[in-house]
Amino acid sequence: MLVLRRGTSLKVFRKGAEEACLREKAKLIMRPDDANVAGNVHGGTILKMIEEAGAIISTRHCNSQNGERCVAALARVERTDFLSPMCIGEVAHVSAEITYTSKHSVEVQVNVMSENILTGTKKLTNKATLWYVPLSLKNVDKVLEVPPVVYSRQEQEEEGRKRYEAQKLERMETKWRNGDIVQPALNPEPNTVSYSQSSLIHLVGPSDCTLHGFVHGGVTMKLMDEVAGIVAARHCKTNIVTASVDAINFHDKIRKGCVITISGRMTFTSNKSMEIEVLVDADPVVDNSQKRYRAASAFFTYVSLSQEGKSLPVPQLVPETEDEKKRFEEGKGRYLQMKAKRQGRAEPQP
C-alpha cells in the first residue's frame, strides 16, 4: 500500500501481509520552509512527522479487526532526543513499529534517519515512543478496546506492561500542575524568567484537525516547539536548536474552533542547555458550556549554537520568585537525572 501526501509530503509503504500493520515506513525530503535560518530542520517539523507515522500505524492496527471503527488519538510522547541535526535537502526516513498494546492503548516506536542523497550517507536523528488511544468515530469521547498483538517472547509483553504502568503513573503526576499559568510581567530584567517567557495564540481551523474535528497531536507539538524556540532565542540571543523533549502529555482533546494559547517559560539552565516548560490551554469560544482547560504540557531542552554550529555557553537563568526557584530546582533534578542516565549508558560493559 502506498499513500502520497504533500503539505507534509508523506509516503507510507506497507510491508508484507504477515506483519499485518505492525510496521510502517515513510520518506520526506526536507525543504527550506522546514528549517531555521541556520539550515537545520525545526524540531517541531520532525515531531510532526513522527506523530503522523504513529497515528497511521496505530489507527490501522486498531481497525484491523471487525468492530466499531475508530481513529487513534495521541495521548503521550515519551522523552525524545535529537541525536543529530537534519538539514535542507536531506531525506527523512521515518519508520514506525507497534511494540505493545494494553486494553485501551497502543505503544509505537518511531525512528527517524536522515539521508544525504548526494553521498548516500545515513544517520539516526531521532528515536521516540508514543502512546495512542482509539476513539470511536461515532463518539470521539468513547475509548474503544485495542486488538491485542502476538509477542515473539513473553519478556516483550512483560517489559511493555512495565513501560505502560510507568507512563500511566507519570501522566497522573503531571495533572497537579494543570492549574499553573504563565503571567506576563512589566519591564523584566534580562536573564530572568519573565524576560524570555512567550505565548502564541492560535485559532484552530480545519487544516489543523483530523476528519473528526480535533487537532492532530503533531500540529500541537510543532506549535509547542515554536514557542519553546522563541523562549530559548530570547534568553541567549543566538541560534538555537532542540536537543530533546521530555514527555509530552496530552490531557484533553482540542476541538476545531477552539482558541489555544501556547505559553513557554524558562525553568532551568545548565552551562550549555536550557529547559523550557510549555503549556497549552484551550478556550472553546463557540461553546459557552465548557471553560478554558489545560490540553497539553511538556519540557523542551535547547542548546545555543555559534554561526559555525558549535555549542555555546548559556546565560544563567536568574529565578526571582519562590515558584521560579522551586521550578529551577526541579529542572536541575531532571537535568542531573538524565545526565546520570547518559553517563551510565556510555560506560563500557564488563
Side-chain angles (χ1 to χ4, degrees):
M1 178 179 181
L2 174 64
V3 178
L4 293 178
R5 285 180 51 194
R6 187 64 222 176
T8 53
S9 183
L10 185 64
K11 294 182 181 179
V12 178
F13 299 93
R14 185 94 176 264
K15 295 193 78 175
E18 70 280 359
E19 298 187 54
C21 40
L22 294 183
R23 293 183 181 179
E24 298 287 350
K25 289 187 177 181
K27 292 182 181 180
L28 175 66
I29 190 164
M30 297 292 99
R31 298 187 174 183
D33 56 352
D34 297 319
N36 59 21
V37 293
N40 298 321
V41 176
H42 287 292
T45 299
I46 297 174
L47 289 172
K48 191 169 184 288
M49 288 191 300
I50 289 172
E51 196 280 328
E52 285 186 342
I56 290 172
I57 191 173
S58 52
T59 296
R60 180 173 284 141
H61 175 74
C62 291
N63 288 281
S64 61
Q65 297 181 358
N66 293 330
E68 191 171 347
R69 295 305 172 192
C70 62
V71 60
L74 183 63
R76 176 180 167 90
V77 181
E78 302 289 2
R79 179 182 173 89
T80 303
D81 289 308
F82 290 72
L83 307 173
S84 180
M86 192 180 299
C87 302
I88 296 171
E90 292 185 331
V91 173
H93 295 255
V94 186
S95 60
E97 180 179 5
I98 292 175
T99 48
Y100 178 75
T101 59
S102 69
K103 185 177 181 180
H104 295 293
S105 63
V106 181
E107 181 191 50
V108 180
Q109 177 71 48
V110 180
N111 292 336
V112 182
M113 296 191 71
S114 65
E115 177 191 5
N116 184 318
I117 55 178
L118 300 179
T119 64
T121 304
K122 293 183 179 180
K123 56 186 177 182
L124 181 66
T125 62
N126 296 83
K127 295 179 68 174
T129 302
L130 304 91
W131 292 88
Y132 289 83
V133 293
L135 305 179
S136 168
L137 293 183
K138 297 178 180 178
N139 176 10
V140 294
D141 293 321
K142 178 183 177 183
V143 179
L144 302 181
E145 292 190 10
V146 176
V149 297
V150 178
Y151 302 95
S152 58
R153 295 182 294 107
Q154 184 178 356
E155 292 82 1
Q156 289 179 319
E157 183 174 9
E158 294 173 353
E159 291 166 359
R161 186 180 297 110
K162 290 179 181 178
R163 294 193 300 271
Y164 168 75
E165 294 297 339
Q167 65 86 25
K168 186 177 179 181
L169 179 62
E170 288 183 14
R171 278 178 56 80
M172 295 299 295
E173 290 176 348
T174 63
K175 289 189 175 181
W176 71 271
R177 300 181 70 98
N178 280 4
D180 204 2
I181 59 175
V182 177
Q183 297 284 6
L186 295 176
N187 302 318
E189 293 293 325
N191 300 336
T192 62
V193 175
S194 299
Y195 183 81
S196 59
Q197 69 182 28
S198 304
S199 295
L200 183 154
I201 299 175
H202 179 76
L203 174 64
V204 176
S207 63
D208 300 319
C209 299
T210 67
L211 296 175
H212 316 292
F214 54 88
V215 177
H216 288 287
V219 171
T220 304
M221 291 195 292
K222 187 174 183 180
L223 291 170
M224 294 172 79
D225 181 71
E226 287 180 7
V227 171
I230 293 171
V231 173
R234 280 181 167 173
H235 180 77
C236 61
K237 299 186 181 345
T238 62
N239 180 38
I240 45 86
V241 293
T242 314
S244 66
V245 184
D246 210 343
I248 303 177
N249 290 294
F250 291 82
H251 308 293
D252 207 340
K253 297 184 293 296
I254 303 172
R255 297 182 182 274
K256 182 172 62 179
C258 282
V259 172
I260 56 175
T261 303
I262 306 98
S263 303
R265 62 186 171 198
M266 192 81 63
T267 51
F268 170 76
T269 54
S270 67
N271 184 40
K272 291 189 177 181
S273 67
M274 300 162 277
E275 182 191 71
I276 297 122
E277 182 180 30
V278 181
L279 308 172
V280 181
D281 295 314
D283 187 2
V285 292
V286 295
D287 183 3
N288 293 328
S289 64
Q290 191 175 8
K291 296 181 180 179
R292 181 185 175 105
Y293 61 93
R294 177 63 43 79
S297 59
F299 290 97
F300 286 70
T301 299
Y302 275 75
V303 293
S304 173
L305 298 179
S306 67
Q307 292 183 350
E308 294 75 30
K310 302 295 184 180
S311 179
L312 293 175
V314 170
Q316 291 306 289
L317 182 67
V318 181
E320 297 176 299
T321 69
E322 290 303 315
D323 284 342
E324 290 172 359
K325 293 175 182 177
K326 180 181 178 182
R327 287 193 291 268
F328 186 92
E329 290 302 317
E330 291 171 348
K332 183 178 181 180
R334 286 186 291 270
Y335 167 76
L336 293 175
Q337 183 180 38
M338 187 51 56
K339 184 178 180 180
K341 285 183 179 179
R342 286 197 300 267
Q343 291 175 341
R345 289 196 296 264
E347 291 178 358
Q349 297 298 318

